[in-house]
Amino acid sequence: MQSIFETIKTIAFKIDNAIKTEDSGYLDTENSSGEDQLKLDVQSDLIIEKAFADVASVKALVSEEKEGVLHISETGKYTVCYDPLDGSSLIDVNLSVGSIFGIYEGELKGENLVASAYVVYGPRVELMIATREGKPRFYRATGGIFKEIREVALNQKSKLNASGGTQKEWQPQHKAFISSLFASGYQLRYSGGMVPDLHQILLKGGGLFSYPGTADKPKGKLRQLFEVIPFALMYEQAGGEAVNDKGQRLLELVPGHPHDTSPCFFGSKTEISALREAYGLS
Ligand code: AFP
């Protein structure tokens, strides 16, 4: 597992360099979810593929940018599912973006996620790693290496509210829930990049990130294997919760297809119990 984490650190520096130096334009292609691809999406995907090609413990790779599974080694133990450059449509306006990694052992489903990691490319390059033991560990890149800063833990409650999706398409119960949070003093914190938005809540000690099922996208937008399940481990290990709109733990999801999405809610305990109440789940 350590060799996978070390590879992710190498990847982070390479992708950060590509973001800073390469063209941020679009290609004429779409990814497997039907979204337009940036040259940087494809380049980041290639960086990751090449970096893991020689890592003995990696059995296969599944990328958010591609259909199918890339088999690396018969003897490898783990499948790494990754979103190479999440939020890449924010690069042209110079907002933070990220890479997300879910490391699975066996069948690709929530309960088989053994570790996850994400990198934030912002004013600074930062990395978070979570396993099934202990709190997530937070690193910052300085002088070409990642230095561990601290472990991350969520408070019981906070004031931050990151609410995704097109408001016009929200279901009435979701609209009412988000309005009630603002009415009780929550502050909007939403950049449109999942990685920096969830990173902010983790580092500031709590709050709620939601991407609900909407009238136009009943199953939400965020992909289970590459985005939702890896962040669920981060939030649970930090002492928070991560559930879908039925109150099911996101770490119990079983994707039918690698690119399946799910409504998702990540937060500290108080915010998730408020969600359960608002959605009639408790
Ligand atoms: P892009 O990769 O197309 O920029 O999408 C980013 C993202 O998948 C995720 O990072 C955000 O949380 C979410 O989309 C934002 O979606 P909305 O703009 O619909 O709120």
Side-chain angles (χ1 to χ4, degrees):
M1 184 64 68
Q2 204 48 43
S3 59
I4 294 181
F5 296 147
E6 290 309 314
T7 305
I8 289 173
K9 291 177 187 172
T10 308
I11 287 167
F13 288 115
K14 289 194 172 154
I15 294 183
D16 181 54
N17 185 56
I19 293 169
K20 292 196 164 77
T21 56
E22 303 285 333
D23 182 353
S24 66
Y26 280 90
L27 293 168
D28 292 332
T29 51
E30 288 183 344
N31 67 13
S32 337
S33 306
E35 297 164 341
D36 293 335
Q37 280 183 310
L38 287 169
K39 291 178 197 164
L40 277 168
D41 286 321
V42 175
Q43 204 171 341
S44 305
D45 188 33
L46 261 178
I47 289 172
I48 295 175
E49 204 176 292
K50 275 194 194 148
F52 280 122
D54 298 324
V55 180
S57 59
V58 175
K59 180 177 158 199
L61 298 174
V62 186
S63 168
E64 193 259 342
E65 290 299 325
K66 286 204 205 87
E67 205 51 67
V69 177
L70 180 71
H71 296 279
I72 300 271
S73 141
E74 283 300 314
T75 50
K77 191 169 169 190
Y78 303 111
T79 299
V80 182
C81 297
Y82 61 94
D83 185 348
L85 203 53
D86 186 74
S88 55
S89 66
L90 301 171
I91 286 179
D92 59 351
V93 291
N94 205 20
L95 285 176
S96 299
V97 294
S99 302
I100 312 168
F101 302 86
I103 299 139
Y104 297 82
E105 186 176 349
E107 200 189 323
L108 300 179
K109 56 183 184 175
E111 68 180 35
N112 287 345
L113 182 80
V114 290
S116 65
Y118 68 81
V119 181
V120 191
Y121 310 101
R124 302 194 278 211
V125 180
E126 296 186 337
L127 166 71
M128 195 79 76
I129 293 179
T131 63
R132 293 271 177 177
E133 274 155 36
K135 305 264 177 265
R137 296 186 311 282
F138 170 48
Y139 301 80
R140 181 171 297 141
T142 32
I145 54 160
F146 277 99
K147 231 175 110 183
E148 183 162 352
I149 306 294
R150 63 179 165 99
E151 288 185 341
V152 167
L154 289 167
N155 300 322
Q156 202 61 22
K157 178 180 180 347
S158 175
K159 286 279 172 206
L160 305 185
N161 184 17
S163 47
T166 309
Q167 297 192 18
K168 182 171 83 65
E169 308 291 346
W170 286 356
Q171 302 292 349
Q173 64 181 3
H174 187 70
K175 221 174 257 183
F177 170 51
I178 298 297
S179 298
S180 73
L181 291 180
F182 287 130
S184 67
Y186 279 79
Q187 297 169 312
L188 176 65
R189 292 288 182 272
Y190 192 74
S191 73
M194 181 185 196
V195 176
D197 287 337
L198 281 163
H199 187 58
Q200 174 166 205
I201 292 171
L202 275 175
L203 291 192
K204 302 275 189 198
L208 180 76
F209 175 97
S210 50
Y211 205 107
T214 53
D216 58 337
K217 290 179 189 153
K219 293 195 171 154
K221 174 181 181 188
L222 302 177
R223 296 93 173 160
Q224 298 181 26
L225 278 184
F226 317 106
E227 296 170 312
V228 170
I229 296 172
F231 266 109
L233 183 66
M234 294 279 169
Y235 270 64
E236 286 204 2
Q237 291 302 127
E241 288 187 62
V243 299
N244 66 9
D245 53 351
K246 309 280 181 289
Q248 182 192 12
R249 288 171 65 224
L250 298 172
L251 279 175
E252 288 172 0
L253 290 176
V254 181
H257 182 276
H259 293 270
D260 278 356
T261 59
S262 171
C264 54
F265 302 85
F266 304 85
S268 22
K269 299 263 184 202
T270 301
E271 285 78 5
I272 297 292
S273 75
L275 164 88
R276 288 184 198 279
E277 201 171 313
Y279 270 60
L281 302 170
S282 45

